[in-house]
Amino acid sequence: MASKKREVQLQSVINSQNLWDEMLLNKGLTVIDVYQAWCGPCKAVQALFRKLKNELNEDEILHFAVAEADSIVTLQSFRDKCEPVFLFSLNGKIVAKIQGANAPLINKKVTNLIEEERKIVAGEMIRPQYTEIPLVEQSDEELGESQYDNAGEIFYIAIIKPNAVLRRKNIEIKEKITKEGFIIEIQDNMFLPEEVVRNFYSHLADQPDFEDFVSFVTSGISCVLIISQEGEHEVIQEELQLQSETDEEEPSEDTGAKFAPVMTKKKRDSLQEYLERQHVSEFCDVEDNASKVSMYIDMLFPDFKTMKIKNIQRTLALLFPEVYEEKKDDILNIIRNEGFTILMQRQIVLSEEEARTVTKDYENEEYFNSLLSYMCSNASYILVLLRENAVDYWKELMGPTNVEEAYAYSPESLCAQFFTGTFPINQFYGSSSKAEAKKEIEYFFPPQTTLALIKPHVTKEQRMEILKIIKEAGFEISLLKEIHLIPENASKVYFKITGKDFYKSVLEVLSSMETNDGSSRPRRSKTALPGFPTSQIWSRHFEKCCPWGI
């Protein structure tokens, strides 16, 4: 009886339309197991739900329920289905649906949504405007098409294997992909979970060395890409064809047959076909099935769908010297209140070329040279902003380039509010397009690379936690390699202390073959980390966060 009581407390029972409507009044997140009366709720996930309830400890904003589809009108489309369905209701709005008892995916979805709720309650972020999904049961193919084939887009998931990443082939492959007109929507270097590898490569499961292959892929960093193919799925190519006798002039004796360029339409190669033609398919594997792509995106890039639906963008913004010096704090408050997240920011004195770029709208004005001189001799403030439709929203918030026009038609714009009088210009700059924003952000905030070394006494679990903290701090792990750090190599890393009395002890620890997890293989990892903070900032961050030594 006690066990039964705990299950009732874990999941509330919804078996009528009235109870369903009451459930929608719950504050926070409710995870609903939709079941059929003849088969009952899904028992396979109850242990996961109990674990989440205990670990997250958020009884006020996390609820679990079971809903009998046969008794609830809203769920009639789920009747007579044997596959489990899990719905996610956030403050009364169904924002997500997972078909099948996919425990890792359910775990990630719950964790991410609760983390968002915590940040919202703490005032660290604005509540996203989720799109409510229709409660209509679809096949995997229909589901994939409805989510990923809108607006003519085709999505692929590509995995560049660890050996290729180690040889930096991923850089070459990405260049080839973009050169052909494919768009890399998002990318990340990551350790792939074993369940993802087994699923992605299930077509190889009957091979005798499959277990070794899984171990190989999961033990190193893979480069994972979401790639889109927009527009026409056919391309126009120019081919040389023999001219017909009726079209050609009378040939001379020495010219022979004549060929003329003819434009023909052909079906565009798929990403897999293109990679095969480029002789790099052995390093990169592609999944193009819509339903599988959807599943992998949910598992590896859980925020991607929301970002696509809401058109989350980054843009570059710049405050000219006068408003930066006098009104910086007021402007930053407005930026945050308008729903922007400030990703990066810094003071900058522009070069003449940079100043010409941000003041190009005024190059025909008589005061242009004075403006250039002013911009190049005083500090401006540059930011990277994140928001829905960030590029257009920031341009609208800035207002017209002409001050008189701003006063007449956009009195609430930043241009009108913060006009200083020195130059009759808009004191703000923003990227003109999404493509320009990408170029400008990479120019003004170029990634830096540093080297990190994880010492051998760290266990496997601690190492994974360290790598997680590295990524959460905004770094990308571009390369990772395990090595036995011999004294010759150690002296290159620790050159500042080679003359110290304790250096010999340091060498003994670093070159030891013994590890905290009891294995005798080397556990040292040298990891290249391109990211925006400097290595000194990075070191300070980990002195505070990592007690295991790094």
Side-chain angles (χ1 to χ4, degrees):
M1 289 296 292
S3 175
K4 181 68 174 178
K5 183 177 180 181
R6 281 196 299 270
E7 287 191 9
V8 171
Q9 291 177 340
L10 176 66
Q11 295 171 284
S12 60
V13 177
I14 304 172
N15 53 17
S16 70
Q17 186 64 43
N18 286 339
L19 289 175
W20 173 267
D21 294 338
E22 287 180 15
M23 178 276 299
L24 293 178
L25 299 176
N26 284 352
K27 176 185 175 183
L29 174 66
T30 304
V31 185
I32 309 150
D33 174 6
V34 179
Y35 72 96
Q36 317 301 315
W38 55 270
C39 64
C42 179
K43 295 182 179 180
V45 296
Q46 289 179 356
L48 170 64
F49 290 166
R50 188 171 291 107
K51 174 175 174 288
L52 286 168
K53 184 178 180 68
N54 292 334
E55 290 184 354
L56 296 175
N57 193 26
E58 291 285 1
D59 291 343
E60 293 296 319
I61 59 171
L62 178 59
H63 318 276
F64 298 96
V66 292
E68 184 182 323
D70 307 79
S71 306
I72 302 168
V73 175
T74 303
L75 303 178
Q76 60 182 344
S77 60
F78 297 107
R79 295 171 187 173
D80 302 321
K81 308 289 183 182
C82 59
E83 184 180 32
V85 174
F86 298 90
L87 302 177
F88 297 79
S89 171
L90 197 59
N91 298 309
K93 180 185 287 187
I94 305 297
V95 299
K97 176 176 69 173
I98 293 177
Q99 294 181 222
N102 190 331
L105 182 54
I106 294 170
N107 181 75
K108 181 168 284 190
K109 179 66 71 175
V110 172
T111 304
N112 288 342
L113 289 173
I114 289 298
E115 185 60 31
E116 279 190 3
E117 285 297 296
R118 286 171 171 168
K119 290 180 179 179
I120 292 166
V121 171
E124 297 174 5
M125 68 177 285
I126 296 173
R127 183 176 297 283
Q129 296 299 313
Y130 290 102
T131 301
E132 187 165 14
I133 66 170
L135 294 183
V136 177
E137 189 74 352
Q138 296 172 294
S139 66
D140 285 347
E141 291 75 18
E142 290 170 337
L143 184 64
E145 289 172 5
S146 66
Q147 289 181 333
Y148 293 101
D149 204 28
N150 290 335
E153 285 186 311
I154 294 176
F155 285 83
Y156 304 92
I157 284 279
I159 294 178
I160 303 175
K161 293 191 280 285
N163 58 335
V165 173
L166 196 59
R167 294 165 56 186
R168 305 191 73 82
K169 291 287 289 185
N170 55 317
I171 298 173
E172 174 193 345
I173 293 170
K174 288 187 288 187
E175 288 176 352
K176 289 180 180 292
I177 288 172
T178 54
K179 184 178 179 180
E180 183 64 8
F182 293 96
I183 299 170
I184 298 176
E185 297 279 350
I186 192 169
Q187 59 182 303
D188 195 9
N189 293 338
M190 63 175 72
F191 286 95
L192 286 171
E194 183 177 333
E195 62 267 24
V196 171
V197 175
R198 290 187 179 278
N199 198 312
F200 193 92
Y201 293 100
S202 58
H203 59 286
L204 302 176
D206 58 349
Q207 299 295 317
D209 58 351
F210 182 66
E211 293 302 319
D212 291 337
F213 176 77
V214 171
S215 177
F216 152 69
V217 176
T218 55
S219 63
I221 289 180
S222 298
C223 180
V224 185
L225 313 171
I226 300 179
I227 300 165
S228 67
Q229 178 179 317
E230 291 184 292
E232 296 292 330
H233 300 156
E234 295 180 324
V235 291
I236 297 176
Q237 295 180 338
E238 183 179 287
E239 293 184 350
L240 292 177
Q241 291 188 3
L242 182 65
Q243 282 186 326
S244 65
E245 293 183 2
T246 57
D247 293 336
E248 64 180 68
E249 300 176 3
E250 184 176 338
S252 60
E253 293 181 0
D254 60 340
T255 57
K258 287 188 176 181
F259 291 85
V262 176
M263 307 308 290
T264 61
K265 185 178 284 189
K266 292 186 176 181
K267 184 179 179 181
R268 176 182 284 178
D269 284 346
S270 69
L271 179 59
Q272 183 65 54
E273 291 168 336
Y274 172 69
L275 294 176
E276 289 172 359
R277 283 198 293 107
Q278 295 296 312
H279 309 292
V280 292
S281 59
E282 64 181 291
F283 305 109
C284 181
D285 300 298
V286 177
E287 177 59 70
D288 58 7
N289 179 275
S291 61
K292 290 185 177 180
V293 168
S294 174
M295 178 181 70
Y296 295 132
I297 287 175
D298 281 337
M299 297 181 74
L300 302 176
F301 301 97
D303 297 328
F304 176 74
K305 293 180 184 178
T306 300
M307 291 183 69
K308 287 296 289 183
I309 292 170
K310 297 172 64 177
N311 197 21
I312 304 295
Q313 300 173 344
R314 297 193 303 167
T315 192
L316 189 85
L318 184 132
L319 281 58
F320 284 26
E322 258 187 297
V323 292
Y324 164 51
E325 183 178 346
E326 298 175 9
K327 299 292 184 179
K328 172 193 167 187
D329 291 340
D330 293 338
I331 294 166
L332 294 185
N333 285 335
I334 291 174
I335 287 173
R336 295 188 182 98
N337 290 337
E338 289 293 333
F340 287 99
T341 298
I342 300 175
L343 297 179
M344 292 174 278
Q345 55 188 313
R346 66 184 178 95
Q347 178 180 291
I348 182 173
V349 177
L350 299 175
S351 67
E352 182 176 340
E353 182 182 355
E354 293 165 348
R356 285 183 180 276
T357 298
V358 302
T359 59
K360 58 181 179 291
D361 290 329
Y362 312 104
E363 59 186 357
N364 295 324
E365 303 294 340
E366 59 181 18
Y367 54 79
F368 183 64
N369 288 334
S370 298
L371 176 60
L372 274 185
S373 176
Y374 175 71
M375 294 292 291
C376 296
S377 57
N378 293 274
S380 300
Y381 202 66
I382 195 164
L383 309 97
V384 178
L385 305 178
L386 181 77
R387 192 194 185 280
E388 300 172 40
N389 303 304
V391 173
D392 290 337
Y393 197 96
W394 174 246
K395 288 193 291 185
E396 182 179 347
L397 186 62
M398 287 191 303
T401 57
N402 182 289
V403 176
E404 290 183 3
E405 195 176 317
Y407 277 130
Y409 302 108
S410 301
E412 299 299 319
S413 66
L414 296 179
C415 178
Q417 290 186 62
F418 295 97
F419 173 59
T420 59
T422 304
F423 296 99
I425 62 173
N426 192 323
Q427 294 283 323
F428 302 85
Y429 171 81
S431 302
S432 60
S433 67
K434 188 176 177 181
E436 285 300 310
K438 185 175 187 297
K439 293 177 185 177
E440 291 173 348
I441 290 169
E442 289 177 353
Y443 175 81
F444 284 106
F445 292 91
Q448 300 174 353
T449 301
T450 188
L451 181 75
L453 183 143
I454 301 177
K455 297 175 184 176
H457 63 275
V458 172
T459 66
K460 180 179 179 180
E461 291 75 19
Q462 290 170 340
R463 182 177 71 162
M464 296 307 294
E465 181 64 21
I466 290 170
L467 295 176
K468 178 183 176 184
I469 294 172
I470 289 173
K471 298 197 74 172
E472 289 176 349
F475 292 93
E476 176 189 336
I477 301 174
S478 60
L479 291 173
L480 183 144
K481 183 179 181 181
E482 287 192 348
I483 62 170
H484 183 212
L485 200 62
I486 60 176
E488 181 182 357
N489 291 335
S491 65
K492 296 176 182 178
V493 179
Y494 291 95
F495 60 91
K496 290 186 177 181
I497 62 169
T498 52
K500 303 293 184 180
D501 294 339
F502 57 83
Y503 182 61
K504 184 177 179 181
S505 299
V506 172
L507 282 182
E508 290 175 356
V509 173
L510 292 174
S511 60
S512 169
M513 295 291 288
E514 191 65 30
T515 71
N516 272 0
D517 60 5
S519 64
S520 59
R521 60 187 178 86
R523 300 290 304 176
R524 273 62 63 200
S525 299
K526 289 173 70 175
T527 311
L529 303 167
F532 297 105
T534 65
S535 58
Q536 184 178 8
I537 295 173
W538 181 88
S539 297
R540 286 202 300 267
H541 176 81
F542 282 98
E543 283 172 9
K544 292 188 291 184
C545 295
C546 292
W548 310 297
I550 184 169

